[in-house]
Amino acid sequence: MKTIAELLTKLVLTSLFILPSAYLHSQNSVIKIQNAYWQLWEFNIHSGFTSFYGDISSFDDNYYQKMVHESGPAAGVKLTKHFGRLFGISGQMLYGKLQGVKNSTSFDSKLLEYNLHLKFNVFNLIKPDNKGKIGINIQAGLGQFLFNSVKTTYLEGEVEEISHGSRVPEFVYFAGCGLFYRYKSNFGITLDFGIRQCENDWLDVTFLNGNFDYYTYASVGFSYYMQNFKITPLKNKARIAYNDRKLRGLRN
């Protein structure tokens, strides 16, 4: 697992330098190169459910029961910089709740995750003539999370509670897929699903065989697409207004 995590780390960090360079290298104008960083941004808000898989879980093979007994509400925000039609880099923050039950033991947890991940639009690769209204993405990334968990055990009429929280951010990496539909030029709907692998076995306050816990996140979201994230300077705005008045004067 450490090997996979190291590869994902190198992939994300390397792409931060390679993708912008590859995209901008094809531009001939210095102005276009400077402005390209501010173009094609996407802001997304999303909500859904986080589901736990680990030592204290009993419904890994039954998705309905998993949703009812071992899942919790979650929500977050995401900002994406698109590089052309295929690639994008996203920064995401996610807050969610988890729960699990096994025999006479249960736990509840709250977590806060922040990550950086890559998006690749496979639909545009298959259909180069796609107009951009729909797309299918595969995603992979890494991040960190903080959690606070409480385990409750019922033994012979007595209740025992044990709490455990992260003292420092814990490492997490994930992979997933997504679907989007852009119903207007600036607005769209997204569906996403991802599997988060923790580098930690204490999310359910139970350490067993050293197998790390993991959780999933399924969400629906709404996106706002910004063609140009850069604010036009006041001098440029005044110049545009002046030129516009001048042209109208010439027409009259």
Side-chain angles (χ1 to χ4, degrees):
M1 291 182 179
K2 290 184 178 180
T3 303
I4 297 175
E6 291 173 357
L7 288 174
L8 281 173
T9 303
K10 292 178 181 178
L11 178 62
V12 172
L13 294 178
T14 302
S15 299
L16 287 175
F17 297 97
I18 293 178
L19 288 178
S21 300
Y23 175 71
L24 298 176
H25 183 69
S26 62
Q27 308 294 334
N28 296 321
S29 172
V30 175
I31 296 177
K32 288 184 178 180
I33 291 175
Q34 293 174 343
N35 290 339
Y37 284 103
W38 301 100
Q39 295 174 354
L40 302 177
W41 287 83
E42 175 189 353
F43 177 74
N44 179 269
I45 57 174
H46 47 81
S47 63
F49 295 91
T50 44
S51 302
F52 176 76
Y53 295 81
D55 300 319
I56 302 181
S57 62
S58 303
F59 304 104
D60 295 353
D61 299 325
N62 189 321
Y63 190 72
Y64 175 76
Q65 294 296 329
K66 173 68 69 175
M67 291 288 293
V68 174
H69 299 289
E70 296 178 349
S71 300
V77 295
K78 180 165 54 177
L79 184 65
T80 302
K81 172 67 177 81
H82 294 279
F83 297 95
R85 294 167 49 82
L86 296 180
F87 292 99
I89 297 179
S90 299
Q92 182 183 36
M93 182 168 288
L94 169 67
Y95 175 79
K97 295 183 178 181
L98 295 170
Q99 58 182 343
V101 59
K102 191 169 186 178
N103 300 326
S104 58
T105 302
S106 63
F107 88 97
D108 293 277
S109 181
K110 299 177 182 178
L111 64 88
L112 176 66
E113 175 196 316
Y114 49 92
N115 66 67
L116 186 68
H117 61 275
L118 301 177
K119 300 173 68 174
F120 180 72
N121 193 328
V122 294
F123 191 79
N124 278 350
L125 182 65
I126 298 171
K127 292 184 66 66
D129 59 341
N130 178 38
K131 301 301 183 181
K133 278 199 168 185
I134 60 174
I136 301 173
N137 299 313
I138 56 175
Q139 309 165 10
L142 49 91
Q144 293 180 313
F145 72 100
L146 298 165
F147 70 94
N148 188 6
S149 302
V150 178
K151 181 174 71 172
T152 304
T153 304
Y154 300 89
L155 294 173
E156 299 178 356
E158 296 184 357
V159 179
E160 179 187 59
E161 286 191 353
I162 302 176
S163 300
H164 182 77
S166 53
R167 296 181 180 179
V168 296
E170 302 288 347
F171 184 74
V172 62
Y173 59 95
F174 74 95
C177 58
L179 172 69
F180 74 84
Y181 172 65
R182 194 167 174 172
Y183 60 90
K184 287 186 178 180
S185 60
N186 292 105
F187 296 95
I189 300 174
T190 60
L191 295 173
D192 290 284
F193 178 82
I195 301 175
R196 266 80 170 162
Q197 176 68 67
C198 308
E199 290 292 294
N200 184 293
D201 192 37
W202 287 102
L203 192 54
D204 54 1
V205 202
T206 302
F207 184 85
L208 183 63
N209 299 325
N211 295 322
F212 294 148
D213 301 321
Y214 69 96
Y215 56 97
T216 63
Y217 177 49
S219 67
V220 58
F222 297 92
S223 288
Y224 176 71
Y225 299 93
M226 296 166 282
Q227 294 298 322
N228 196 331
F229 191 58
K230 189 175 182 180
I231 299 175
T232 305
L234 292 176
K235 291 183 179 179
N236 290 347
K237 288 182 178 179
R239 186 179 302 170
I240 292 171
Y242 172 76
N243 291 337
D244 184 57
R245 288 196 300 269
K246 187 176 179 180
L247 287 173
R248 282 183 294 181
L250 291 174
R251 293 192 188 114
N252 296 332

